[in-house]
Amino acid sequence: MDRHQAKPAPGRPRSQQAMEAVLTAVRQLLETSAYKQITMEGIAKAAGVGKPTLYRWWPNVASIVMDAMTKQARQDIGVPDTGSLESDLHLYIGDTCRSLTQGAGSIMRSLMAEAQFDDGFAQIFRESFICSRRETLIALLKRSAARGELPKDADLELLTDLCYGPIWYRLLNGHAPLDEPFVQAITAHIMRG
Amino acid sequence: MDRHQAKPAPGRPRSQQAMEAVLTAVRQLLETSAYKQITMEGIAKAAGVGKPTLYRWWPNVASIVMDAMTKQARQDIGVPDTGSLESDLHLYIGDTCRSLTQGAGSIMRSLMAEAQFDDGFAQIFRESFICSRRETLIALLKRSAARGELPKDADLELLTDLCYGPIWYRLLNGHAPLDEPFVQAITAHIMRG
Amino acid sequence: MDRHQAKPAPGRPRSQQAMEAVLTAVRQLLETSAYKQITMEGIAKAAGVGKPTLYRWWPNVASIVMDAMTKQARQDIGVPDTGSLESDLHLYIGDTCRSLTQGAGSIMRSLMAEAQFDDGFAQIFRESFICSRRETLIALLKRSAARGELPKDADLELLTDLCYGPIWYRLLNGHAPLDEPFVQAITAHIMRG
Amino acid sequence: MDRHQAKPAPGRPRSQQAMEAVLTAVRQLLETSAYKQITMEGIAKAAGVGKPTLYRWWPNVASIVMDAMTKQARQDIGVPDTGSLESDLHLYIGDTCRSLTQGAGSIMRSLMAEAQFDDGFAQIFRESFICSRRETLIALLKRSAARGELPKDADLELLTDLCYGPIWYRLLNGHAPLDEPFVQAITAHIMRG
DNA sequence: AACTAATCGAGACGGTACGTCTCGTCTTTTT
DNA sequence: AAAAAGACGAGACGTACCGTCTCGATTAGTT
């Protein structure tokens, strides 16, 4: 249900320009600094924006960074549809891992870490990132199940955990790379399930 | 050890006592506060210890907390040996999950998060926690491989990722419980691998 | 110089209603808060008026407060005329002190303080308050001088300072009351001059 | 009464150096800026001192400024003793007025104004400045009364108000100078009282 | 009756300073 | 020599107002 024909809010509307300046500034900061060194104060200064404006739109650094990430590239990882579960999975997991090894990974680690400390952010982070990716994968699996490649009673949620779990585990611990053999191994492991 | 007949030291050799006071204080703080609210300042005050003393022994809060955790309970999770890989795995994974759902989980999440921000701590955390658990599991798998329950060329490192990955993934995201069905599902999937 | 026969300006005229709402709101705020806690923001909200409207009419809080005060009571202190300088003075100084001890004093102190920080306001404050009262007193003295109660070369400006000075001094410092003995003492002191 | 033989407080003592840096910085700021433009933030930066250090010693700008003023020159105005009340008064009032027209006046005005807004500061200001000056003058008057130059029942407190009142009144309003004729006039009036 | 123009309310804007917090270091006294 | 206590410089935090701006709506007088 939308606010069909809703009155525009009274008062000066929020400045799209300011918002974009902030997101751009954050992206630049992320390229030159570690996530932990990014502060509200620094963002405000870099974006030429007042601190209250920042706080009016976002509650903390993590939310801004997340916005900058999601608005930047929503289409990084497409949903493959080759007709075969195995190749679909292989492509999807491969894209996911490649994306995470190319710079986004470090930020995602920081956001995941931040989510452990702030319940409010955790909720948004999980809804925006984790769940949306999970649902994409689940849709892929469902399609495959409809083709009969999976047993009808397969627990798709669980399969998703088995897929993303090891990826995040390696990403967060850095004890082993997210490379092609790893992608193949996960794919094979899920195919056996 | 006594100061048997020793000259009174020129210094003030109270260090062991101070260290224990710190660890005890941290344990108490962890029971009543969120990890994020624990500060060096707070620990020093709670332990009746000077801040420089803290910094002389540990570089940051995370290290103290980790010390307090490891010194407290090293024997939480035993290594089962029933002769069957499946039941060994089931017991081990079950113990792991139960331990993580009983309070330690929240602290482990925080430490894992902290490790994303501080490379120095990350190294210690992985060596002390992650790797030691991985090695335990690998030993269990090796024993089983020697019994012929696993193919000789099985990638034990990878199997360990497939086991711990989903557990951490659920722990960090909280989207699903670490319950008995989950334990059984992971066990089953690894048995098939 | 008037806008004699000027065209009425085009556009919506300024709202008399808004102005009165502001002054009323300020009076209410003054009753419940210290002067220092009154802000443009607060006045706007209390009066249900936009901030630009406020700034269109007044440059700062002090000016609004002064307006509210002057519009409220212009006739607090009458000019006595008993035929005797001493009794005129006694009545006038007495009225002044009574008015200042009954609530107006605290606001006058704040306005006088504000005038120390803002030259623009200082000018208005002195013209509206200080000088108008001084002129009243000088008129009273002149009348008396015409009757021969004062030497012809008496410095009336100086006498006014000798009268108002101690009153303000006690008001601002609060080290002693503006009571009847004080009124009599000042009167006597001036009579001797 | 001092803390005879008191234990020195434990911990690092307060840095005399920091305190002096602050007072020096404030004096420099006062020369180049209006009082109202001086902020805690600015003082901290100018003195190369942390803000908490400032707040540890003083509650607000006014207190720092007052400290800087009192520590700078305690001997500006001596207490004359010529043997004659009239010449003593004339010298004392003259010194007071000269001191107030030479730069200190503007700061004193600001401090007096500040005292109207902050009760805590008001108390300190009155004790440090107002009362100490009043007592000096009262002592002078008492000495004279002992010589029989004043009636025995003269209200010295009141005479002090009659002396300082007009001075402050002219200082705060700026409608007339604190010049030599003014000094003579006040002296003459008090002599008649 | 439609147009024009200045006002209104609301509230977001870029700023600045606030007073607090924690950091990691430094200095002193005490043991 | 090492302990506690705690002050230190630094700087981010989130908040409060400032005075300006940008809206849509309202309200006159002018076409």
Side-chain angles (χ1 to χ4, degrees), chain A residues 165-184:
Chain A
I167 296 175
W168 272 103
Y169 182 64
R170 282 203 172 181
L171 179 66
L172 294 174
N173 280 310
H175 60 284
L178 299 176
D179 54 9
E180 181 56 24
F182 179 64
V183 172
Q184 289 180 351

Side-chain angles (χ1 to χ4, degrees), chain C residues 1-159:
Chain C
M1 196 62 147
D2 258 3
R3 301 203 205 151
H4 169 63
Q5 286 249 343
K7 276 185 188 177
R12 177 176 178 176
R14 291 190 167 178
S15 147
Q16 202 62 28
Q17 198 177 334
M19 174 165 172
E20 278 165 21
V22 168
L23 295 181
T24 303
V26 167
R27 278 180 214 120
Q28 287 176 355
L29 288 173
L30 280 172
E31 284 171 15
T32 56
S33 335
Y35 169 86
K36 219 16 186 329
Q37 290 166 10
I38 296 181
T39 64
M40 288 300 240
E41 202 112 14
I43 295 172
K45 177 150 284 181
V49 144
K51 278 203 288 173
T53 303
L54 245 46
Y55 282 103
R56 215 174 282 126
W57 295 49
W58 298 277
N60 47 49
V61 173
S63 303
I64 308 184
V65 169
M66 207 176 62
D67 251 32
M69 299 274 299
T70 51
K71 295 231 166 102
Q72 185 176 27
R74 200 183 294 271
Q75 76 297 356
D76 264 12
I77 301 164
V79 186
D81 188 358
T82 63
S84 140
L85 174 58
E86 179 150 18
S87 59
D88 278 3
L89 267 183
H90 186 258
L91 284 172
Y92 182 76
I93 297 175
D95 277 357
T96 300
C97 288
R98 271 187 293 280
S99 148
L100 288 175
T101 45
Q102 273 163 16
S106 139
I107 300 172
M108 294 302 294
R109 284 170 53 199
S110 300
L111 293 180
M112 174 66 97
E114 203 70 54
Q116 306 309 313
F117 297 131
D118 180 339
D119 285 345
F121 174 68
Q123 202 176 343
I124 301 173
F125 172 69
R126 282 157 199 167
E127 281 171 16
S128 304
F129 267 117
I130 304 301
C131 292
S132 88
R133 297 296 162 92
R134 287 178 64 81
E135 281 160 14
T136 305
L137 181 53
I138 286 179
L140 192 153
L141 292 172
K142 260 189 190 151
R143 212 174 45 206
S144 168
R147 287 196 302 259
E149 289 178 291
L150 285 171
K152 284 183 184 171
D153 60 345
D155 185 342
L156 303 189
E157 290 284 343
L158 180 71
L159 286 178

Side-chain angles (χ1 to χ4, degrees), chain D:
Chain D
M1 202 52 148
D2 10 331
R3 309 203 201 145
H4 170 62
Q5 287 244 346
K7 268 190 191 177
R12 178 177 177 174
R14 294 191 159 179
S15 149
Q16 203 61 28
Q17 197 177 335
M19 174 164 173
E20 278 165 21
V22 168
L23 296 181
T24 303
V26 167
R27 277 179 215 121
Q28 287 177 355
L29 289 173
L30 280 172
E31 286 172 13
T32 56
S33 334
Y35 169 86
K36 225 0 180 352
Q37 290 166 12
I38 296 181
T39 63
M40 288 299 239
E41 201 113 15
I43 296 172
K45 179 151 285 180
V49 144
K51 276 204 288 175
T53 301
L54 245 45
Y55 284 103
R56 213 174 285 126
W57 296 49
W58 299 277
N60 47 47
V61 174
S63 303
I64 308 184
V65 169
M66 205 177 64
D67 251 32
M69 299 275 298
T70 51
K71 295 236 165 97
Q72 185 177 26
R74 201 182 292 273
Q75 77 297 353
D76 263 12
I77 301 165
V79 186
D81 188 359
T82 63
S84 140
L85 174 58
E86 178 149 17
S87 60
D88 278 3
L89 264 184
H90 185 258
L91 284 172
Y92 182 77
I93 296 174
D95 278 356
T96 300
C97 288
R98 270 186 295 279
S99 147
L100 287 175
T101 46
Q102 274 164 13
S106 138
I107 300 172
M108 295 301 295
R109 285 170 53 201
S110 300
L111 293 180
M112 174 66 97
E114 204 71 53
Q116 306 309 313
F117 297 132
D118 180 337
D119 284 346
F121 174 67
Q123 201 176 344
I124 300 173
F125 173 69
R126 283 159 199 167
E127 280 171 16
S128 303
F129 269 117
I130 304 300
C131 292
S132 88
R133 298 296 162 92
R134 287 178 62 82
E135 280 159 16
T136 305
L137 181 53
I138 286 179
L140 192 153
L141 291 173
K142 258 190 192 151
R143 211 174 47 207
S144 168
R147 288 195 303 258
E149 289 178 289
L150 285 171
K152 284 185 183 171
D153 60 345
D155 186 341
L156 303 188
E157 290 284 342
L158 182 69
L159 284 177
T160 309
D161 290 343
L162 295 178
C163 173
Y164 275 122
I167 296 175
W168 273 103
Y169 182 64
R170 283 206 172 180
L171 178 65
L172 295 174
N173 280 310
H175 61 284
L178 300 175
D179 54 9
E180 180 57 23
F182 179 64
V183 172
Q184 289 180 351
I186 294 188
T187 309
H189 264 89
I190 294 187
M191 290 308 293
R192 272 199 288 275

Side-chain angles (χ1 to χ4, degrees), chain B residues 32-78:
Chain B
T32 55
S33 335
Y35 169 86
K36 219 13 185 336
Q37 291 167 9
I38 297 181
T39 64
M40 290 297 242
E41 204 110 16
I43 295 173
K45 177 151 285 182
V49 145
K51 279 203 288 174
T53 305
L54 245 48
Y55 282 104
R56 210 172 291 126
W57 295 51
W58 299 278
N60 48 48
V61 174
S63 303
I64 308 184
V65 170
M66 207 176 63
D67 252 30
M69 298 275 299
T70 51
K71 296 233 165 101
Q72 182 177 28
R74 199 182 294 275
Q75 77 297 357
D76 264 10
I77 301 165

